[in-house]
């Protein structure tokens, strides 16, 4: 169901619009002035906003400007009274999707909303497509650990050597895996990812190796597993430290013999797969605790790549911030914001337990909440110190 926000200080207008649109199957929220409207707009994603022009506290144009800063993709339709058609036209120039006049004509209202929704869907589609055709994100940083990692990738990617990538949450392990695939001779083949932590242990075997129809109660159809899907490409076993011992034994066999058997099947199937694994756990400790097989550890860790925590390479912060500012502002469809050197220094002082993922989120928050230029005050206000 699509959400619509109606902002108007006249209760009767809100009520009429709300009744009509609810009847059409939309879900409606109301706000009585621009300030309340903005609050709601920031809290929830709406498909369309209807906004009056003359209102107390924050008027329609001001609402429009601020809303566009916080999410430029949501179409905003202005509702204009007799006296302010000119202002409505001005609003459209400033990025409003369209305007309708009071009292609203029912047909025109519904058509305008429908068209606006189509636009929202198109924008969303384009974003998904961009992501799909998008090349692998650049690996930013010129600190010596990052240089070393890039060097290692260049050397080992073209071989079929198995790689174990270690590092804390959000340091960029997956990015390393993507680059290994991209720079390998298998780049034209598939890169198949399995998040071992996300799959219940009783399903992991069928996920990895597939199953034959009827091999267990819920196996209604034959299924091709990830090993087979990754044939001629790379299989990325993410969070390998969370794989059950049972599944580990099966994976070991697949690696040793280059063959798999589907669950419930009796045929051996040859697979040509390069395995790259990642974990944020200390696998040797897991080996000590008997939750990880030593033989599998050796098979997986022909090449070890450790990705350091962001706290250990704070010199990369300026470059990373610059990159994320570019990306985030592009995503939001706004001009790239600047950042003061003192603000960067402020960011360097933060304890980045969430690593690069946290830094990206912080930059996004700063872009949304700050003015054209991000200051050290913004950093102290919006980047909360760790307790
Ligand atoms: N060196 C880098 N340059 C630019 N972006 C990076 C870099 N490293 C990581 N990122 C970005 O940071 C985010 C987190 O990276 P990634 O998902 O690879 O981390 P991870 O180590 O796999 O995390 P987790 O352990 O939580 O799965 C991603 O959006 C990624 O593109
Ligand atoms: Mg990951």
């Amino acid at each position: 169901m699509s959400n619509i926000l109606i902002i108007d200080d006249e209760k009767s207008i809100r009520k009429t619009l709300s009744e009509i649109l609810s009847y059409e199957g939309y879900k409606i929220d109301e706000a009585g002035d621009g300030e309340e409207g903005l609050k709601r707009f920031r809290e929830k994603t709406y498909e369309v906003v209807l906004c009056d022009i003359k209102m107390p506290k924050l008027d329609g144009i001001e609402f429009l400007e601020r809303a566009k800063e916080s999410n430029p993709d949501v179409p905003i339709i202005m509702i204009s009274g007799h006296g302010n058609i000119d202002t409505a036209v001005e609003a459209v120039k400033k990025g409003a999707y369209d305007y309708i006049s009071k009292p609203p004509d029912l047909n025109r209202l519904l058509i305008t909303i429908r068209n606006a929704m189509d636009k929202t869907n198109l924008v969303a589609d384009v974003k998904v497509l961009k992501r799909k055709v998008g090349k692998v994100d650049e690996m930013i940083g010129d600190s010596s650990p990052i240089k070393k990692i890039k060097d290692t990738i260049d050397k080992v990617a073209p071989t079929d050597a198995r790689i174990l990538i270690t590092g804390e949450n959000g340091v960029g392990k997956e990015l390393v895996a993507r680059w290994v695939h991209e720079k390998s001779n298998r780049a034209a083949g598939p890169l198949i990812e399995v998040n071992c932590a996300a799959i219940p242990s009783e399903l992991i075997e069928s996920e990895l190796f597939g199953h034959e129809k009827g091999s267990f109660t819920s196996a209604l159809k034959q299924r091709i597993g990830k090993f087979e899907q990754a044939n001629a490409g790379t299989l990325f076993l993410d969070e390998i430290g969370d794989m059950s011992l049972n599944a580990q034994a099966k994976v070991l066999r697949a690696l040793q013999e280059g063959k798999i058997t589907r669950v419930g099947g009796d045929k051996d199937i040859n697979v040509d797969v390069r395995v790259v694994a990642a974990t944020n756990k200390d696998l040797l400790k897991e080996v000590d605790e008997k939750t990880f097989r030593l033989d599998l550890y050796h098979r997986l860790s022909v090449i070890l790549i450790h990705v350091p925590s962001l706290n250990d390479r704070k010199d990369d912060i300026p470059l990373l911030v610059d990159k994320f500012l570019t990306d985030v502002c592009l995503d939001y469809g706004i001009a790239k914001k600047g950042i003061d050197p003192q603000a960067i220094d402020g960011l360097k002082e933060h304890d980045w337990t969430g690593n690069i993922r946290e830094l990206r989120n912080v930059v996004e928050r700063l872009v949304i909440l700050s003015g054209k230029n991000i200051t050290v005050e913004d950093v102290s206000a919006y980047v909360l110190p760790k307790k």
Side-chain angles (χ1 to χ4, degrees), residues 170 173-174 236 238-239 357:
K173 297 185 293 297
E174 183 174 335
F236 176 40
D238 203 359
E239 319 276 2
R357 181 174 299 114

Side-chain angles (χ1 to χ4, degrees), residues 78-129:
M78 310 307 289
I79 316 171
S80 82
H82 282 308
N84 46 29
I85 297 281
D86 285 349
T87 323
V89 174
E90 188 205 331
V92 172
K93 283 195 191 135
K94 286 196 164 155
Y97 177 75
D98 202 349
Y99 66 89
I100 50 170
S101 346
K102 275 186 211 175
D105 171 78
L106 181 61
N107 281 327
R108 177 151 151 75
L109 172 72
L110 293 179
I111 289 171
T112 310
I113 289 179
R114 217 160 290 146
N115 288 343
M117 299 236 168
D118 286 348
K119 182 194 166 221
T120 310
N121 294 337
L122 269 181
V123 169
D125 287 352
V126 168
K127 279 198 173 166
V128 172
L129 280 177

Side-chain angles (χ1 to χ4, degrees), residues 42-114:
R42 285 178 175 156
E43 279 167 5
K44 184 163 156 184
T45 308
Y46 292 96
E47 273 69 32
V48 170
V49 176
L50 295 175
C51 179
D52 188 18
I53 291 181
K54 254 184 82 194
M55 288 183 300
K57 292 190 189 166
L58 203 66
D59 71 23
I61 298 287
E62 283 172 301
F63 169 84
L64 173 72
E65 287 171 347
R66 302 224 196 147
K68 282 281 153 198
E69 273 175 23
S70 109
N71 185 352
D73 293 339
V74 181
I76 299 174
I77 300 169
M78 310 307 289
I79 316 171
S80 82
H82 282 308
N84 46 29
I85 297 281
D86 285 349
T87 323
V89 174
E90 188 205 331
V92 172
K93 283 195 191 135
K94 286 196 164 155
Y97 177 75
D98 202 349
Y99 66 89
I100 50 170
S101 346
K102 275 186 211 175
D105 171 78
L106 181 61
N107 281 327
R108 177 151 151 75
L109 172 72
L110 293 179
I111 289 171
T112 310
I113 289 179
R114 217 160 290 146

